[in-house]
Amino acid sequence: MNTIFSRRWAAGLLAGSAGLLAVGCTAPRAIVSTGKVTPRGEFRVGGNLAFNVPTETISKAGSTLKSAARELAQKSANDTVRYNQTIENLQVAAIAFALDPVRPSSDLNLRYGVIDRLDVGYKYAFGSHVFDAMYQFLGPVGSVENPGASRPGTTYASIGLQYATQRTQLPNIPFLDDVNALLGFRASRHDLIVPLVFSNSLGAEEEIGAISYGVVYAHTFLRYGLTPGNLFNGPGSQFVTGKVPELPTVRQNFGSYGIFFNAKLGYRYAYVIPALSVYYQNYGEYRLLNNQTAKLSGLTFIPSLGLQFRIPGSSARR
């Protein structure tokens, strides 16, 4: 009876929160897992809300640049626009937002314990599809119903691999709509994330939760291009006079290094998971129009809050 109730409760809350969660399409980098993987035959379902706060992106999108983007986009609809430093800054801002946007992100997720010490999962991040697996190399393999050798404070550790793919779109805000109208920005990306997670159980087999921490490496593969509209180099420009040529698709990749902390708090079937992940990344050097380039690097802070529900396997319910 408890298991049936927990299934219905989880499904109802997830369905009811879907509208709230559908606010972003950034590949999820918040780490909310513990060192203990999902026990064999058990399901875990949940959802997370996070906010992506990248220092470099914020620094590239000041109020003056936002005003200039609006004015230039309005002008380009009826007249030509001359390439200048502001146009260059707008390109850098667009790339920064594609690499690491300032925006809410969210996901709904499902995990299943395939065998002892190994589980697999899928996340739908409203624009990004994420597949992952975790392998537990430290700690017992019991469950809440069958705790075995686990005790309060038991240490677990696991390592995982996560793959995310998405077609990158600039966030739907006026500033970036104006940039896109002027520059014709397009991009797609793939992300690989490798978390190393340690945790200490609260109760036997995380019955009332866990405290988790660890390190994470992520690698992003980006493709982007620019197809400007009525954008020209005028007489006296350092560039060739005439219409600014488009930037064909460029491939770029970069690594990110992070640390994280999360707390899983609840009882048996339902848990709340507040978390904080912090990344540093040297995004690298990026090509712009007119053979110009820009270098980007910075920190990203990702606070998040999640819900998780566990559905015991059939053997645990006997």
Side-chain angles (χ1 to χ4, degrees), residues 12 16 24 35 39 41 67 89 92 148 169-170 177 182 235 259 267-268 278 284 289:
S67 177
N89 292 342
V92 176
Q169 295 180 334
L170 297 179
D177 287 345
L182 181 67
I259 58 175
Y267 182 68
R268 292 185 73 88
V278 181
L289 296 171

Side-chain angles (χ1 to χ4, degrees), residues 116-146:
D116 287 343
R117 300 189 180 278
L118 179 70
D119 70 357
V120 296
Y122 170 74
K123 296 179 184 178
Y124 177 59
F126 300 94
S128 178
H129 299 279
V130 185
F131 306 89
D132 79 294
M134 296 287 293
Y135 173 73
Q136 180 185 322
F137 60 86
L138 180 65
V141 294
S143 65
V144 171
E145 287 74 19
N146 301 292

Side-chain angles (χ1 to χ4, degrees), residues 177-200:
D177 287 345
D178 293 336
V179 171
N180 211 34
L182 181 67
L183 299 176
F185 180 82
R186 63 190 183 279
S188 63
R189 65 184 291 169
H190 304 271
D191 295 90
L192 290 174
I193 299 176
V194 181
L196 177 61
V197 188
F198 297 89
S199 65
N200 297 108

Side-chain angles (χ1 to χ4, degrees), residues 211-228:
I211 301 298
S212 304
Y213 47 90
V215 296
V216 57
Y217 174 76
H219 204 92
T220 297
F221 301 86
L222 179 74
R223 299 177 61 187
Y224 72 99
L226 294 160
T227 307

Side-chain angles (χ1 to χ4, degrees), residues 17-313:
S17 61
L20 175 62
L21 287 167
V23 294
C25 60
T26 304
R29 291 195 297 166
I31 306 299
V32 297
S33 55
T34 70
K36 178 178 175 57
V37 303
T38 309
R40 181 175 59 182
E42 184 172 300
F43 285 94
R44 293 179 183 176
V45 296
N48 296 287
L49 284 172
F51 200 89
N52 209 64
V53 187
T55 58
E56 181 74 319
T57 304
I58 292 172
S59 72
K60 300 301 182 186
S63 59
T64 301
L65 198 61
K66 294 178 182 180
S67 177
R70 182 174 59 253
E71 293 173 4
L72 289 171
Q74 291 172 351
K75 183 179 179 181
S76 68
N78 305 306
D79 200 358
T80 61
V81 174
R82 301 300 181 189
Y83 189 94
N84 54 33
Q85 186 61 49
T86 299
I87 298 295
E88 200 161 292
N89 292 342
L90 288 173
Q91 295 172 71
V92 176
I95 292 172
F97 267 93
L99 294 171
D100 220 349
V102 183
R103 68 179 304 168
S105 62
S106 57
D107 68 80
L108 295 174
N109 56 76
L110 172 69
R111 303 200 66 79
Y112 176 71
V114 180
I115 58 176
D116 287 343
R117 300 189 180 278
L118 179 70
D119 70 357
V120 296
Y122 170 74
K123 296 179 184 178
Y124 177 59
F126 300 94
S128 178
H129 299 279
V130 185
F131 306 89
D132 79 294
M134 296 287 293
Y135 173 73
Q136 180 185 322
F137 60 86
L138 180 65
V141 294
S143 65
V144 171
E145 287 74 19
N146 301 292
S150 178
R151 298 290 184 271
T154 296
T155 299
Y156 299 89
S158 62
I159 189 168
L161 177 64
Q162 173 178 302
Y163 169 72
T165 180
Q166 64 176 322
R167 181 179 179 182
T168 300
Q169 295 180 334
L170 297 179
N172 187 25
I173 58 179
F175 161 53
L176 292 171
D177 287 345
D178 293 336
V179 171
N180 211 34
L182 181 67
L183 299 176
F185 180 82
R186 63 190 183 279
S188 63
R189 65 184 291 169
H190 304 271
D191 295 90
L192 290 174
I193 299 176
V194 181
L196 177 61
V197 188
F198 297 89
S199 65
N200 297 108
S201 179
L202 301 177
E205 293 291 354
E206 300 184 352
E207 183 177 24
I208 58 177
I211 301 298
S212 304
Y213 47 90
V215 296
V216 57
Y217 174 76
H219 204 92
T220 297
F221 301 86
L222 179 74
R223 299 177 61 187
Y224 72 99
L226 294 160
T227 307
N230 297 327
L231 187 59
F232 289 79
N233 294 315
S237 170
Q238 60 176 312
F239 309 115
V240 177
T241 301
K243 194 173 189 301
V244 175
E246 72 173 282
L247 177 68
T249 300
V250 177
R251 288 179 171 84
Q252 181 66 287
N253 67 89
F254 64 92
S256 304
Y257 304 87
I259 58 175
F260 62 87
F261 170 86
N262 71 64
K264 176 181 175 181
L265 306 170
Y267 182 68
R268 292 185 73 88
Y269 299 112
Y271 302 88
V272 176
I273 308 178
L276 175 65
S277 302
V278 181
Y279 290 86
Y280 169 77
Q281 48 265 310
N282 181 352
Y283 304 103
E285 186 172 73
Y286 291 82
R287 290 179 56 194
L288 309 175
L289 296 171
N290 278 331
N291 292 318
Q292 300 301 293
T293 61
K295 293 182 179 180
L296 299 169
S297 64
L299 292 169
T300 303
F301 298 88
I302 310 176
S304 67
L305 182 64
L307 290 174
Q308 184 183 95
F309 305 93
R310 57 178 294 272
I311 303 172

